[in-house]
Amino acid sequence: MLGALRFGFHMRRDTYAFIYDDFLNDRKYERGLAALDARLASLDLVGRAARLTLFRSAKEIIESMVSQGSDTVVLVGNDQTLDKVMWFLPDLDVTLGFLPIDEPSRVAQILGIPKGEVACDVLAARLIETIDVGRLDERYFLTEVALEHTLAAVDVEGRYRISPSVGGSIFIRNLGSLAENGTASADAKDGYLEVVIRPEEEKNSRLFRRAAALETRVMLKTGEIVASQPIEARVDNHVMNSMRFKIGICPRKLKLITGRRRRLAPEGEGLPNAEKTANLPFTTVQMQKASTGGGIGIRTSLRG
Amino acid sequence: MFSSNRRSDRQDYEPLSTPATNGATVIARGVKVEGDFVSQGDVIIEGEVNGHVTTNGLLTIGTDAKLKAEISVNDAVIAGLVEGMVTVKKRLELKATAKILGDVTCETAAIEAGAILHGKCSIGQGKLDKESSKDQIAEKPFGEKLPAEKPGV
């Protein structure tokens, strides 16, 4: 039914290419898809349509639609649908739209796109953002690279190497985070990737915990992940294995239709200093206040 | 007894949200850095660093931090261990838990009782140089020309 609706507009010049994920074949999505189609038609958002299947390459499908004149590729599905095309899509000169139908839809949340037929209104508004895309070896990624429970190190721009002392998890983020509650913690428009390291907790640390721990956070443009044995890296939701990965950022590489409530940059950006330091651990707050305080140069006798 | 403690501890141990770090670069406890750590803006170090630390912002070194590094920063607040030369353009603050094994140069300093410093300490050298150059200018008799600046310097 949805195909008939789309393919009925062949006489008109296609600008939209609608790509439906294969999980939408399930009968439980029939109603939702019918409502979505009706909404798209009422907004005059029409174009070619195709469905991803197990035996058809997403790259071939999209490239053929782009070669036939589509300049906006609209993915219908969930976050995993994005993962299926993100590894090659930034190389095509297209604008990406997204209509989330089902969970997981964390990326959709970050992009400010509501789930279901109301997402069509976001598409119609065409609020386009040009954002950065990360690259791990030859593969593009939108959200993050995650290395969990690893002893790997990150070589930052050939200048220094950073690693968890006794193992931990490393996240290299471009847009938001899949590991947390969906709020943006990395800025996808700053031309940098954010490296976050969470060391493993020490033994007995649950009983003898100290003050709140900060996350390690550094920025990089290019770098390398190195390990002494093969490691598993989760790129968006795809898994790659190697002992070395080259990593970098491709600034302003992807045009994306977003909602008004997009969160492409951390929510704290632009907060006054007082608010920014409100959650700092006691010692750090004290030290920061002291450093910005009146500057009374009290000299005391030095020990040693 | 333990369960209640654990609950409160867990709340304390929640990772901080991004705004808490104030956009600063953070090297947290349990993380090691080796090499030339160059950064723009504020840096907070609570882990280990071997090499150099350079930033044009404020460097905050926490109580558990261990640095074997030459430090060159704009402002610094030190509460941990530093082995190496510390050069601070403006203001250095040593907390009571600070331990510095190396020479220190800064413009102004605030040092808490209990801080340990093994090495030469030069505070206000820049001010001294400025004042002496002013004095030299003032000492010149009226009408005497100052030495011409070399082109390209």
Side-chain angles (χ1 to χ4, degrees):
Chain A
M1 188 188 72
L2 64 98
L5 183 65
R6 297 275 167 278
F7 291 118
F9 291 88
H10 270 208
M11 296 299 287
R12 186 180 171 135
R13 185 184 168 271
D14 289 334
T15 53
Y16 287 91
F18 293 87
I19 310 294
Y20 291 77
D21 204 331
D22 58 353
F23 76 86
L24 296 171
N25 280 329
D26 196 302
R27 286 192 66 178
K28 71 174 181 179
Y29 298 108
E30 259 179 22
R31 256 192 197 180
L33 284 176
L36 188 88
D37 284 337
R39 187 75 190 135
L40 285 172
S42 70
L43 292 166
D44 201 23
L45 297 171
V46 291
R48 290 173 177 273
R51 195 181 286 276
L52 299 178
T53 61
L54 195 60
F55 300 107
R56 286 181 74 190
S57 157
K59 190 176 182 210
E60 274 176 26
I61 295 170
I62 292 176
E63 280 179 347
S64 89
M65 292 176 109
V66 170
S67 67
Q68 288 171 45
S70 298
D71 58 12
T72 303
V73 173
V74 182
L75 301 174
V76 188
N78 58 16
D79 284 356
Q80 282 153 7
T81 319
L82 276 174
D83 300 340
K84 288 175 186 171
V85 304
M86 197 47 66
W87 60 277
F88 64 87
L89 201 78
D91 279 334
L92 303 175
D93 185 21
V94 292
T95 302
L96 178 65
F98 183 36
L99 300 175
I101 295 286
D102 198 5
E103 297 294 335
S105 61
R106 280 179 179 161
V107 178
Q109 273 177 33
I110 294 168
L111 298 177
I113 305 172
K115 210 169 65 177
E117 61 193 90
V118 279
C120 301
D121 299 338
V122 171
L123 193 62
R126 282 193 77 88
L127 177 58
I128 297 172
E129 291 271 10
T130 307
I131 64 167
D132 308 334
V133 176
R135 196 169 172 126
L136 189 78
D137 287 342
E138 298 305 310
R139 189 183 178 94
Y140 291 111
F141 64 90
L142 179 64
T143 55
E144 68 177 11
V145 175
L147 302 111
E148 291 182 68
H149 310 295
T150 183
L151 281 165
V154 182
D155 198 299
V156 180
E157 288 162 13
R159 289 194 304 226
Y160 63 90
R161 186 169 282 196
I162 185 165
S163 59
S165 306
V166 289
S169 299
I170 300 174
F171 302 93
I172 301 174
R173 292 175 179 157
N174 176 52
L175 172 73
S177 163
L178 292 179
E180 291 171 11
N181 59 0
T183 57
S185 63
D187 188 342
K189 294 171 78 179
D190 63 354
Y192 286 92
L193 290 170
E194 183 191 73
V195 182
V196 173
I197 300 178
R198 287 190 200 133
E200 303 281 7
E201 281 184 35
E202 292 165 22
K203 279 182 183 174
N204 299 327
S205 61
R206 287 190 176 187
L207 286 176
F208 303 105
R209 280 179 181 176
R210 303 186 195 181
L214 289 170
E215 277 182 341
T216 292
R217 181 177 175 270
V218 298
M219 312 300 269
L220 65 76
K221 280 188 175 176
T222 59
E224 206 169 357
I225 300 166
V226 286
S228 53
Q229 51 191 334
I231 46 167
E232 190 179 276
R234 201 185 68 236
V235 193
D236 284 337
N237 279 314
H238 177 82
V239 174
M240 290 170 75
N241 286 287
S242 179
M243 284 169 67
R244 288 184 101 85
F245 295 101
K246 282 193 174 169
I247 192 150
I249 186 90
C250 305
R252 303 180 62 79
K253 183 76 176 167
L254 181 68
K255 283 183 281 181
L256 201 61
I257 298 174
T258 62
R260 273 204 222 158
R261 295 189 172 183
R262 64 201 178 282
R263 288 170 285 166
L264 300 175
E267 286 170 5
E269 298 287 280
L271 284 176
N273 283 336
E275 282 182 55
K276 281 182 178 176
T277 53
N279 296 323
L280 276 171
F282 183 65
T283 51
T284 315
V285 172
Q286 268 192 326
M287 289 198 290
Q288 289 202 342
K289 277 183 181 168
S291 69
T292 52
I296 307 162
I298 303 166
R299 293 195 184 195
T300 54
S301 58
L302 304 182
R303 244 192 313 141
Chain B
M1 182 184 77
F2 281 108
S3 62
S4 62
N5 281 347
R6 276 185 198 171
R7 206 171 297 126
S8 62
D9 283 342
R10 197 169 297 137
Q11 282 168 353
D12 288 341
Y13 206 70
E14 283 291 307
L16 294 161
S17 58
T18 307
T21 59
N22 200 5
T25 299
V26 180
I27 308 297
R29 198 166 55 223
V31 171
K32 198 164 77 178
V33 174
E34 285 177 329
D36 292 340
F37 184 76
V38 182
S39 180
Q40 301 278 324
D42 297 348
V43 177
I44 299 170
I45 298 177
E46 294 191 346
E48 286 176 53
V49 179
N50 292 332
H52 293 81
V53 178
T54 309
T55 180
N56 57 5
L58 166 70
L59 171 68
T60 305
I61 298 176
T63 46
D64 293 334
K66 287 176 186 167
L67 284 83
K68 279 186 183 172
E70 281 189 19
I71 295 173
S72 178
V73 296
N74 206 44
D75 297 285
V77 179
I78 300 177
L81 169 66
V82 179
E83 288 180 46
M85 211 162 82
V86 179
T87 308
V88 180
K89 239 182 190 176
K90 290 180 183 167
R91 189 171 192 272
L92 169 69
E93 193 170 325
L94 297 186
K95 311 304 287 185
T97 51
K99 188 175 179 183
I100 298 182
L101 309 176
D103 297 349
V104 172
T105 308
C106 61
E107 192 63 41
T108 58
I111 303 169
E112 276 185 10
I116 296 171
L117 172 57
H118 274 285
K120 286 181 193 168
C121 183
S122 171
I123 301 171
Q125 190 62 44
K127 269 186 190 172
L128 204 67
D129 291 344
K130 271 183 199 169
E131 278 168 15
S132 62
S133 65
K134 271 183 194 171
D135 290 346
Q136 277 177 5
I137 292 166
E139 279 171 14
K140 299 274 178 199
F142 184 75
E144 189 178 323
K145 283 183 182 175
L146 292 171
E149 281 183 11
K150 286 178 187 175
V153 175

